[in-house]
Amino acid sequence: MSTVPAREPRARLTPLKRPLNLRETVLDQLRTAIITGELAEGSLVSAPTLGQALGVSATPVREAMMDLAREGLVETIKNKGFRVTAMSQSDLDDLAEIRLLVEPPSMHGVVGNVPEAAYEELTRLADSCRRAAEREDLVEYLRDDREFHALVLSFTGNPQLVSLATSLRVRTRMYGIATLARDGRLAESAGEHHRLIELLRAGDGAAAERLMREHIGHARKSWATGEIDRSEAPPGSDEDGSA
């Protein structure tokens, strides 16, 4: 195998405790590193080097990277390893546009179809998202956020829609999310999960649709850059308008 370029990122990936499902934990860690930009676009990485940084063997890393290749986050480079896929601003705009076409209107199909018992699990995930944001644990935050929205969409009864929406969410880059977490604004945005639960309980599909449009807007704007979008903030507010 050829030598990996010296610029390959290492320092910001911290060693993992060995959980029962090591592969999934490694996958979440690497996926988050790509989504947040810790593994930079165009970076060429190898399974042994990433495994050393994470404190695990190369095998679960290689398996995780193959999963990420199927998700479109990396591409395999023969005899070298994996390259992090680049996403242009136009690409991110396209992803957001598709998400806006798919997710917000689906709230009307969710309303009235959520079993009472499911609200307990949705609330658990919403609470977990808030706690993870407060701890600045982006791996857990993004995992629970993804599970929360997949569970909500599952009550449309359309598994293809859930798969598409989850794929689009995973491919979205959020390079500013670490800044938002550090400033406390990610924890505020996490409150949108609880607001959505309240709207679904109330049977307000129109308001749930509006909230999802705002949520996706945050992901494309402040979450992508870490900068406050003044056009979204209410008059006299210093915040980004997130719940």
Side-chain angles (χ1 to χ4, degrees):
M1 181 178 292
S2 62
T3 303
V4 177
R7 67 189 182 92
E8 180 173 339
R10 301 180 184 182
R12 298 187 66 182
L13 294 176
T14 56
L16 300 169
K17 296 179 181 179
R18 291 187 176 273
L20 292 176
N21 192 336
L22 181 60
R23 174 177 174 173
E24 285 299 318
T25 303
V26 170
L27 177 59
D28 278 340
Q29 180 85 2
L30 293 175
R31 183 191 286 121
T32 299
I34 294 172
I35 290 174
T36 62
E38 290 185 17
L39 287 178
E41 293 182 356
S43 295
L44 185 63
V45 296
S46 68
T49 302
L50 289 175
Q52 183 178 14
L54 293 169
V56 299
S57 71
T59 299
V61 174
R62 188 173 294 108
E63 293 173 345
M65 293 301 279
M66 294 304 297
D67 287 339
L68 294 175
R70 286 188 284 272
E71 292 178 4
L73 292 179
V74 301
E75 58 181 335
T76 58
I77 305 298
K78 187 176 181 180
N79 298 326
K80 293 185 178 181
F82 304 87
R83 178 175 286 120
V84 178
T85 306
M87 292 287 288
S88 68
Q89 293 301 308
S90 179
D91 291 332
L92 293 175
D93 286 339
D94 290 345
L95 287 177
E97 182 178 354
I98 298 172
R99 290 184 62 190
L100 287 170
L101 291 171
V102 172
E103 295 184 55
S106 298
M107 294 302 100
H108 294 278
V110 173
V111 166
N113 291 320
V114 183
E116 186 60 32
Y119 283 112
E120 181 177 348
E121 176 63 10
L122 288 171
T123 300
R124 184 193 70 78
L125 288 169
D127 290 343
S128 184
C129 280
R130 188 191 292 276
R131 289 193 299 269
E134 291 171 347
R135 295 196 310 270
E136 300 180 35
D137 186 340
L138 300 182
V139 174
E140 183 172 336
Y141 179 85
L142 291 174
R143 181 181 63 243
D144 290 341
D145 177 74
R146 186 170 61 251
E147 291 182 6
F148 175 89
H149 288 285
L151 180 56
V152 168
L153 289 173
S154 72
F155 297 113
T156 62
N158 187 336
Q160 295 297 325
L161 185 151
V162 177
S163 178
L164 173 61
T166 301
S167 173
L168 294 171
R169 183 176 294 271
V170 166
R171 292 168 60 194
T172 299
R173 305 297 167 87
M174 301 181 183
Y175 295 158
I177 198 171
T179 299
L180 296 180
R182 186 168 57 250
D183 293 345
R185 286 183 282 141
L186 183 60
E188 294 175 6
S189 290
E192 291 177 347
H193 298 101
H194 292 91
R195 281 179 57 197
L196 183 60
I197 292 172
E198 293 173 359
L199 294 173
L200 293 177
R201 275 188 178 276
D204 194 340
E209 178 179 356
R210 287 195 298 272
L211 179 58
M212 281 304 303
R213 291 190 183 280
E214 294 172 6
H215 189 75
I216 294 171
H218 295 158
R220 180 62 191 98
K221 296 176 182 177
S222 58
W223 289 29
T225 64
E227 299 175 357
I228 297 174
D229 185 349
R230 297 295 179 182
S231 67
E232 296 180 0
S237 172
D238 291 330
E239 300 299 331
D240 65 349
S242 300

